[in-house]
Amino acid sequence: MDRAPQNSPQNTPHPAPLSGTQLLRLAHRISAVVNAVRIQLAKGWNFAPQTIAYQGYGSTGWVRVLGRVLLTKNPAPGSRAEQAARNGTQNVRGWRAFTSVPLQFIEVEITIGGVTTRVRADRGGLIDTVVDVQLPPGWHTAILQADGTEPVETLIQVIDADAKFGIVSDIDDTVMVTALPRPFLALWNTFVLSERARMATPGMAVLLERLTIEHPDAPVIYLSTGPWNAAPTLARFLGRNMYPSGALLLTDWGLTQDRWFRSGQEHKHRNLERLAKEFPDMRWLLIGDNGQHDEQIYSGFAQENADKVAAIAIRQLSVSESVFAGGHSENGDHTTSVVPWIYSPDGAGMAKQLKVLDLL
């Protein structure tokens, strides 16, 4: 009987398919190569390294310092763009924030309260670290400087140990009106919209300011699933619209160590849990909207940490906003919740209900 040759196609062993872990490792290697190419191109286009410092917070024994190291294209000296950047009057298209290139694993020196610490940025160029330092309550200045960059300053709010009330607020559709189809929201807001075209939610700036007047020691934390690239734009938006100063806790797009995409819900839940541990005696007012997952995230956090939640305030989207957002939840049944829930389409309505709760 004839036998098939040993090297026939049907007898050739096929390589085993890559596992999910192997694919993720391959993606990390490809990402590193792509970023290296971007760095070389950016240097060829005369991009310069720059340290960006974001506002942080802390207690009297430690502070959380946030920043990023990027290769960026600076405005030409003497140009209108440079003057606008110096005066804080930029009107920048969102896509420009994504032309910068992160400098990975670069060392950064942080100085605050006479203490100097050296840390290393992550693969996205991000610095998110805790510095042990003894500081009195109030606002302090931290100086960040990566190798080869100019030093930059940022404010750090040191929260009084006696403070018992804090505010956590979402951004999109909560303090800023977006009213766009949810699948295109991030792309439009990030890449297309001019920052001065963004609209503040009616009454929300006044509400937050009244809350900080009523509770002068209360920290304000803006917790969003937005990318760190948008942080300077968001900070200018909040300042222009008279929102209280507060730390931005954003996320970074792309790969993580163990997954293909970052989870916005996980990002919010993780930071809420972190705040609960950092300030165990603090009760938080959680502000969000009913067009995303804020209700679900806040409800889950409140069930596990009822003693750490003063109230949950949900902005109700309008009919047109909810259509664009892909629908919204109805006012949930929270009769069994020990945490008060309030719903309103604007800041004025929230203020009335918070007054009934003796929070305003």
Side-chain angles (χ1 to χ4, degrees):
M1 179 182 295
D2 293 336
R3 294 185 179 180
Q6 292 299 313
N7 59 351
S8 64
Q10 59 266 37
N11 289 336
T12 302
H14 295 286
L18 294 176
S19 67
T21 301
Q22 290 172 320
L23 284 172
L24 190 60
R25 288 174 181 170
L26 177 60
H28 274 283
R29 289 196 292 269
I30 293 173
S31 176
V33 171
V34 170
N35 196 68
V37 172
R38 291 182 66 200
I39 289 174
Q40 291 303 315
L41 290 173
K43 289 179 178 178
W45 294 332
N46 296 320
F47 279 42
Q50 180 182 10
T51 303
I52 300 173
Y54 307 128
Q55 186 172 310
Y57 67 88
S59 74
T60 54
W62 58 268
V63 292
R64 184 178 181 182
V65 181
L66 300 155
R68 209 167 183 212
V69 188
L70 303 168
L71 281 173
T72 60
K73 184 71 171 179
N74 295 322
S79 65
R80 285 189 297 178
E82 185 195 41
Q83 183 177 0
R86 189 184 309 116
N87 298 332
T89 58
Q90 304 99 312
N91 186 21
V92 182
R93 292 282 179 186
W95 62 268
R96 293 187 179 276
F98 282 77
T99 59
S100 57
V101 181
L103 287 174
Q104 301 177 326
F105 313 120
I106 190 170
E107 286 206 348
V108 180
E109 185 176 271
I110 301 169
T111 302
I112 182 170
V115 174
T116 298
T117 306
R118 290 190 70 85
V119 298
R120 191 178 297 273
D122 69 10
R123 64 185 306 275
L126 183 67
I127 305 108
D128 183 353
T129 191
V130 171
V131 176
D132 293 325
V133 58
Q134 300 296 318
L135 294 169
W139 292 94
H140 299 268
T141 299
I143 301 173
L144 282 70
Q145 183 177 20
D147 295 339
T149 71
E150 293 295 320
V152 292
E153 296 183 351
T154 189
L155 291 176
I156 305 290
Q157 183 182 15
V158 173
I159 301 163
D160 196 315
D162 294 330
K164 305 300 181 186
F165 179 79
I167 302 162
V168 171
S169 177
D170 179 43
I171 295 179
D172 283 327
D173 283 330
T174 301
V175 302
M176 179 172 66
V177 177
T178 51
L180 288 163
R182 191 63 60 188
F184 305 108
L185 173 63
L187 291 175
W188 181 269
N189 280 342
T190 303
F191 293 105
V192 181
L193 196 66
S194 293
E195 61 179 72
R196 289 184 177 272
R198 301 167 193 244
M199 297 183 297
T201 303
M204 290 301 295
V206 174
L207 170 64
L208 291 179
E209 184 177 6
R210 287 181 62 188
L211 283 165
T212 55
I213 292 173
E214 182 73 19
H215 307 273
D217 295 329
V220 179
I221 307 291
Y222 297 99
L223 177 58
S224 172
T225 58
W228 278 111
N229 298 69
T233 297
L234 291 175
R236 289 192 293 268
F237 168 85
L238 295 170
R240 247 191 336 266
N241 289 281
M242 307 300 290
Y243 281 99
S245 191
L248 285 168
L249 298 182
L250 307 180
T251 187
D252 205 5
W253 293 354
L255 297 165
T256 68
Q257 291 299 320
D258 56 358
R259 60 192 304 165
W260 290 89
F261 299 102
R262 284 167 171 79
S263 167
Q265 295 183 55
E266 181 186 335
H267 162 71
K268 284 190 171 182
H269 184 77
R270 185 177 64 251
N271 274 284
L272 287 172
E273 291 287 351
R274 176 170 180 167
L275 288 169
K277 292 178 181 177
E278 290 172 335
F279 305 101
D281 298 325
M282 187 85 71
R283 297 173 69 236
W284 297 91
L285 171 62
L286 308 179
I287 305 175
D289 66 83
N290 65 344
Q292 298 190 55
H293 301 284
D294 290 341
E295 289 170 295
Q296 177 185 345
I297 296 168
Y298 290 168
S299 178
F301 177 75
Q303 288 174 18
E304 299 171 0
N305 304 275
D307 60 327
K308 293 178 171 52
V309 182
I312 297 173
I314 300 295
R315 181 190 171 237
Q316 297 166 303
L317 302 186
S318 66
V319 174
S320 60
E321 287 174 326
S322 64
V323 169
F324 281 128
H328 63 79
S329 63
E330 300 297 331
N331 292 7
D333 180 7
H334 304 296
T335 53
T336 60
S337 173
V338 298
V339 173
W341 286 71
I342 64 173
Y343 286 81
S344 177
D346 55 37
M350 286 186 183
K352 291 178 182 178
Q353 297 180 64
L354 288 172
K355 193 170 184 179
V356 172
L357 297 175
D358 291 328
L359 294 176
L360 195 60

